[in-house]
Amino acid sequence: TQLLEQSPQFLSIQEGENLTVYCNSSSVFSSLQWYRQEPGEGPVLLVTVVTGGEVKKLKRLTFQFGDARKDSSLHITAAQPGDTGLYLCAGGLNSGGSNYKLTFGKGTLLTVNP
Amino acid sequence: EAQVTQNPRYLITVTGKKLTVTCSQNMNHEYMSWYRQDPGLGLRQIYYSMNVEVTDKGDVPEGYKVSRKEKRNFPLILESPSPNQTSLYFCASSLWEGSPLHFGNGTRLTVT
């Protein structure tokens, strides 16, 4: 059972378009991280959100954490070819004591065509 | 430059031939972890280490070993590789378990 569902799985758009990708779960997370992975490289952290309802902006990227801390979205305005990559969300769960589990979604592969 | 360094980047081997993938970080991070990334399955955790001499199994530990004798190094050992271990492997580190991860650039392993 996939704890974190990302949608869409694939997205191909033209330069200048806007897009939103989603990360959903039935579990409540203590934090949620978004990463971008470019071909031939490891994932790189974009943002961490920790408070329900939190909105963070990183230039043309807007990240939102759901009020119930079960879901998150990433909105990109005026996408550029440099935004192409695999976008991964990762939810953090405290499983008791000092145990903390970070679970990754399968990712959204975004292609922005010039 | 703060980084996680994995070696080798590419490795082709045969079934049963022991191999080690090295991982080193220069950020004095407590936490280190190994993942494998497969199409349709995403990133899955193999092993992790909360600190020196402390390691634990992740979600897919079968067929792998790790050690954490020094804070900076966390090698992944495949004692007897099999074709189902063909994958893209990532080492990652963070200040503590739960803080943002810094990933290496990956090791693409092919076992024939």
Side-chain angles (χ1 to χ4, degrees):
Chain A
T1 302
Q2 181 65 31
L3 192 58
L4 270 171
E5 297 283 348
Q6 287 192 245
S7 61
Q9 191 175 354
F10 301 97
L11 187 57
S12 180
I13 62 171
Q14 294 300 121
E15 182 175 0
E17 293 182 3
N18 302 331
L19 66 111
T20 302
V21 299
Y22 301 92
C23 176
N24 295 304
S25 176
S26 57
S27 299
V28 176
F29 293 106
S30 55
S31 67
L32 198 133
Q33 301 167 8
W34 282 93
Y35 294 80
R36 178 169 66 210
Q37 183 179 9
E38 299 184 19
E41 299 182 7
V44 175
L45 180 76
L46 295 172
V47 78
T48 301
V49 285
V50 296
T51 306
E54 182 176 3
V55 176
K56 282 192 174 179
K57 292 193 174 185
L58 187 66
K59 296 183 181 179
R60 293 175 294 100
L61 279 60
T62 302
F63 303 85
Q64 185 162 8
F65 201 12
D67 290 340
R69 288 185 289 129
K70 292 183 177 182
D71 55 83
S72 181
S73 64
L74 159 59
H75 182 79
I76 301 179
T77 303
Q80 299 177 1
D83 295 326
T84 293
L86 179 68
Y87 288 81
L88 295 161
C89 66
L93 274 169
N94 280 314
S95 56
S98 61
N99 293 324
Y100 184 97
K101 175 75 174 174
L102 188 68
T103 301
F104 282 86
K106 293 181 181 180
T108 293
L109 185 59
L110 171 66
T111 302
V112 182
N113 303 298
Chain B
E1 181 188 354
Q3 60 186 1
V4 177
T5 303
Q6 292 179 232
N7 280 297
R9 289 294 307 273
Y10 302 92
L11 181 57
I12 301 173
T13 190
V14 295
T15 299
K17 186 176 181 181
K18 180 180 179 180
L19 67 92
T20 299
V21 184
T22 63
C23 174
S24 180
Q25 51 94 4
N26 62 0
M27 295 168 279
N28 202 37
H29 284 169
E30 301 285 337
Y31 181 85
M32 296 186 75
S33 182
W34 276 102
Y35 292 87
R36 60 179 290 174
Q37 188 175 39
D38 301 287
L41 296 176
L43 276 167
R44 294 180 293 167
Q45 190 179 49
I46 303 170
Y47 268 95
Y48 64 95
S49 170
M50 306 258 297
N51 210 329
V52 176
E53 301 293 358
V54 179
T55 64
D56 209 345
K57 297 177 181 179
D59 298 317
V60 288
E62 293 77 21
Y64 305 94
K65 285 175 57 177
V66 293
S67 68
R68 188 91 182 273
K69 297 177 182 176
E70 308 165 276
K71 196 171 190 178
R72 63 184 292 124
N73 296 321
F74 190 45
L76 179 69
I77 303 154
L78 284 71
E79 294 271 5
S80 183
S82 62
N84 65 11
Q85 292 178 299
T86 292
S87 186
L88 180 58
Y89 291 86
F90 287 101
C91 179
S93 72
S94 63
L95 280 169
W96 48 271
E97 186 180 25
S99 60
L101 290 165
H102 296 252
F103 283 86
N105 279 333
T107 295
R108 185 166 291 282
L109 171 66
T110 302
V111 183
T112 61

